[in-house]
Amino acid sequence: MYDENEMPRPSNPEIRHRLLSDGGHVIHRLGFNGAGVQDIVAAANVPKGSFYSYFESKETFAAEVVQAYWDSIELRHGKVMYDARIKPLARIERLFELLVEDHAAQRFQLGCLVGNLSLELSNASTEVREALAGILARWEGMIAACLDEAMIRQELDGSRDSKQLAAIIVEAWEGAVLRSKVEGNGDACHRFLQATLKRLLN
């Protein structure tokens, strides 16, 4: 039932975008617990009251931030996974090469927001955990589709379980990114590209 005392939430896409983009960068840099709402709204250059006008809670915000983060990755790099001019296994390798380039641009200091929030919030927020699970399913689904195509083209052993292999690839990647963040260099990510991924796709 409509509550006449309940004020409708404002709809300003530009402010919402700034909060998710600029405020999302704060979450990525400082972590969920390290970033306060004041830090988020200051980065977005909006009044503090605007935050709760657009997001019910900080956890809701984090769930939408990580979704926006993954949407950005798909927008920039996802098309390579559907490029018929590239062999399916090469598409997978290219996707992770592009991701390494993203992390290199940040000097391997920020890590993957999917992995960061998985460590920080998966046991604390059902909302964020469900968002992360959805992203992992989409990511692994893209990889599994390429693996299935490679099997059809007899470029990969047809007895392999594509869904399981896709999950292993993502898990190995997240471990490599975590170590690169700890060490502050790309050694682990490059080992993933040059050794781990090639062995998994062999």
Side-chain angles (χ1 to χ4, degrees), residues 8-173:
R9 291 185 181 276
S11 179
N12 187 325
E14 195 272 335
I15 290 178
R16 182 181 181 83
H17 173 76
R18 288 212 313 265
L19 284 166
L20 287 171
S21 177
D22 299 334
H25 290 152
V26 175
I27 292 284
H28 200 171
R29 188 176 70 254
L30 301 180
F32 178 82
N33 291 315
V37 172
Q38 183 59 50
D39 300 312
I40 293 165
V41 297
N45 194 28
V46 299
K48 187 172 184 179
S50 294
F51 182 85
Y52 291 107
S53 296
Y54 286 91
F55 305 99
E56 293 182 1
S57 67
K58 193 179 168 191
E59 287 77 12
T60 298
F61 175 71
E64 294 200 34
V65 162
V66 75
Q67 186 65 64
Y69 171 82
W70 182 252
D71 288 345
S72 174
I73 289 175
E74 284 197 347
L75 180 64
R76 289 179 292 113
H77 304 322
K79 58 183 177 291
V80 74
M81 300 297 279
Y82 307 101
D83 190 339
R85 298 169 297 177
I86 306 173
K87 290 184 177 182
L89 297 184
R91 290 177 216 157
I92 296 171
E93 292 183 346
R94 183 56 184 152
L95 172 66
F96 285 101
E97 288 170 356
L98 291 168
L99 292 177
V100 170
E101 290 174 11
D102 283 351
H103 288 288
Q106 302 296 331
R107 302 180 189 178
F108 299 96
Q109 294 177 350
L110 297 183
C112 172
L113 187 60
V114 174
N116 293 353
L117 291 185
S118 294
L119 290 171
E120 198 172 6
L121 290 178
S122 57
N123 289 330
S125 171
T126 300
E127 193 170 7
V128 175
R129 183 172 67 250
E130 290 176 350
L132 291 165
I135 289 167
L136 291 171
R138 284 166 56 185
W139 190 357
E140 291 166 8
M142 287 195 304
I143 295 171
C146 286
L147 294 171
D148 287 336
E149 185 179 342
M151 290 181 199
I152 291 171
R153 296 170 62 160
Q154 298 184 333
E155 296 170 5
L156 186 68
D157 183 353
S159 67
R160 306 283 293 274
D161 183 328
S162 62
K163 290 182 179 179
Q164 183 182 64
L165 181 54
I168 291 169
I169 289 170
V170 171
E171 290 157 6
W173 165 252

